[in-house]
Amino acid sequence: MPYIPERFPRYKDYVLPPFPSLTCGLSEQLDKIKNFESRESDILICTFPKSGTHWVNEVVNMLIKGSAEYGNVSKNTVMLEGIGSFEGLDNAPEKSTRIINSHLPLADLPEKHIKNGYKIVHVIRNPKDVTVSFYNHLCNVKNGETLELPTDYPISWNLFVQHYCRGEELYGGWFKYEKTFEKAKENGELSDVFTLHYEQLKREPLPILKSLAAFLCVEASDELLEDINDKCSFDKMSTVGEANRDNAAVKKMSVTGKNFIYRKGQIGDWKNWFTVAQNEAFDLLIETEMKDSKLKFTYQ
Ligand code: PPS
């Protein structure tokens, strides 16, 4: 049983989940993304999957609007690798701020956006919680018409945790993704980047929201920040917020018929999944992979 379903399409040295909305082949889609006509006012949210993209997407949208109202564009409809047609983005008024997102590795993001140093919001989450969240995501995607998973998927957690993050997995793996971003920031290849950690946003949301507003060059009163924080809390987003917008598409893909994106929204759920041996092996992997990195993570 392969760790990643064999039917997941391959691009260069990594695989992506199949996106039912695509109207062309994966490599054509990736070419479109590379050549995407970025604008100076665009905000690109870059995350490895399961790092809090939906959450930060909602926050950024509210900050740009200057109001704590849920919008009507869901994260998935502006995720570059899953977009069926770029027409909506191309036709957006010149003066509007387009907020887009992607889980693609840095090398495959829109060239113009990166070269011209347009704004990027980069979210990082500790790799243990990302692994658990990703595993649950895959387990919750049903076999069938939308994502063609083998019928006996998922594989066991034990197998998943051993293979996850090593090299050529989904989206190229967490380690490669985060190390590439870190290096590009150090080299000055990425200039206008706001990096935030999922755990920081969870623990001290208001100072992070304030700094994010400053980065986005928007005025935001303390009252607005508090409102945004409230509307973007896990409880609200999973009940009245984004979860509703995304419901039709996500529910269709879901084994349970529920929106599986909003699972627990906690720091440290990995402790309910990793055995002592799995955790030791994973710690060793982190130590080896991140030996040259200055990134620090919060695991609980
Ligand atoms: S995806 O599918 O890759 O776009 O998923 P992504 O949105 O990046 O990450 C999903 C995880 O983020 C949690 N989440 C939140 N945590 C805290 N607060 C808020 N508001 C919030 N919204 C989403 C979500 O529950 C997933 O994590 P897990 O650990 O699976 O619960």
Side-chain angles (χ1 to χ4, degrees):
M1 178 68 193
Y3 144 70
I4 294 172
E6 276 163 356
R7 280 186 262 178
F8 273 32
R10 182 163 288 275
Y11 181 74
K12 294 188 195 165
D13 59 351
Y14 59 90
V15 293
L16 294 181
F19 295 107
S21 46
L22 291 197
T23 50
C24 60
L26 185 61
S27 80
E28 199 183 321
Q29 180 78 1
L30 274 281
D31 281 349
K32 286 184 194 168
I33 295 171
K34 194 87 190 153
N35 299 318
F36 180 68
E37 264 309 310
S38 297
R39 302 176 187 167
E40 197 171 359
S41 52
D42 288 346
I43 298 163
L44 177 58
I45 301 174
C46 298
T47 60
F48 190 75
K50 312 317 290 178
S51 301
T53 329
H54 285 73
W55 183 15
V56 172
N57 178 59
E58 193 69 66
V59 166
V60 170
N61 271 279
M62 288 185 181
L63 284 172
I64 292 295
K65 261 189 312 201
S67 126
E69 300 289 321
Y70 298 114
N72 51 14
V73 180
S74 76
K75 173 257 169 189
N76 286 338
T77 55
V78 282
M79 178 175 70
L80 296 175
E81 57 272 33
I83 288 179
S85 160
F86 285 84
E87 221 173 293
L89 286 174
D90 292 342
N91 294 338
E94 274 300 321
K95 288 209 169 120
S96 63
T97 304
R98 302 184 300 183
I99 302 162
I100 48 185
N101 67 81
S102 177
H103 302 306
L104 290 174
L106 184 57
D108 296 318
L109 291 173
E111 202 159 45
K112 191 166 171 194
H113 197 102
I114 306 298
K115 282 218 169 117
N116 290 358
Y118 297 157
K119 282 192 169 33
I120 289 181
V121 176
H122 170 212
V123 189
I124 311 185
R125 187 180 191 188
N126 85 67
K128 294 182 186 177
D129 281 330
V130 166
T131 306
V132 169
S133 185
F134 216 148
Y135 181 67
N136 278 277
H137 181 116
L138 291 173
C139 293
N140 274 295
V141 176
K142 98 179 148 206
N143 172 51
E145 70 283 338
T146 44
L147 294 187
E148 295 174 337
L149 296 166
T151 44
D152 50 353
Y153 201 85
I155 56 164
S156 69
W157 161 250
N158 191 39
L159 196 56
F160 186 84
V161 73
Q162 282 176 43
H163 289 273
Y164 184 74
C165 293
R166 289 171 197 263
E168 59 165 53
E169 294 84 342
L170 283 165
Y171 281 101
W174 183 92
F175 289 109
K176 198 167 169 194
Y177 183 96
E178 298 303 355
K179 286 193 291 188
T180 309
F181 252 89
E182 186 185 17
K183 207 161 168 206
K185 276 172 70 181
E186 278 172 11
N187 294 343
E189 200 187 318
L190 287 178
S191 44
D192 215 5
V193 185
F194 185 89
T195 299
L196 72 101
H197 286 252
Y198 176 102
E199 295 80 11
Q200 273 179 322
L201 186 58
K202 187 98 189 157
R203 291 263 156 81
E204 335 157 60
L206 293 173
I208 304 288
L209 293 186
K210 200 170 186 143
S211 314
L212 181 56
F215 170 78
L216 298 172
C217 306
V218 296
E219 299 268 332
S221 64
D222 289 348
E223 198 188 349
L224 175 64
L225 296 180
E226 273 167 30
D227 273 0
I228 292 178
N229 184 39
D230 174 55
K231 289 277 177 46
C232 294
S233 65
F234 179 81
D235 287 347
K236 293 225 168 126
M237 279 187 68
S238 56
T239 50
V240 291
E242 151 91 13
N244 285 332
R245 244 181 358 232
D246 246 6
N247 250 356
V250 178
K251 270 166 118 178
K252 201 172 162 216
M253 289 195 286
S254 159
V255 171
T256 58
K258 291 189 185 146
N259 187 320
F260 56 83
I261 298 291
Y262 301 87
R263 192 183 60 92
K264 282 197 170 175
Q266 291 171 1
I267 306 169
D269 185 43
W270 62 270
K271 288 190 210 150
N272 298 316
W273 290 80
F274 283 70
T275 62
V276 171
Q278 285 165 350
N279 191 37
E280 281 173 5
F282 207 89
D283 279 341
L284 201 61
L285 181 66
I286 295 173
E287 207 182 301
T288 314
E289 288 281 347
M290 304 305 275
K291 64 180 188 316
D292 298 323
S293 165
K294 296 189 187 75
L295 292 172
K296 297 268 175 279
F297 298 99
T298 307
Y299 290 99
Q300 49 197 334

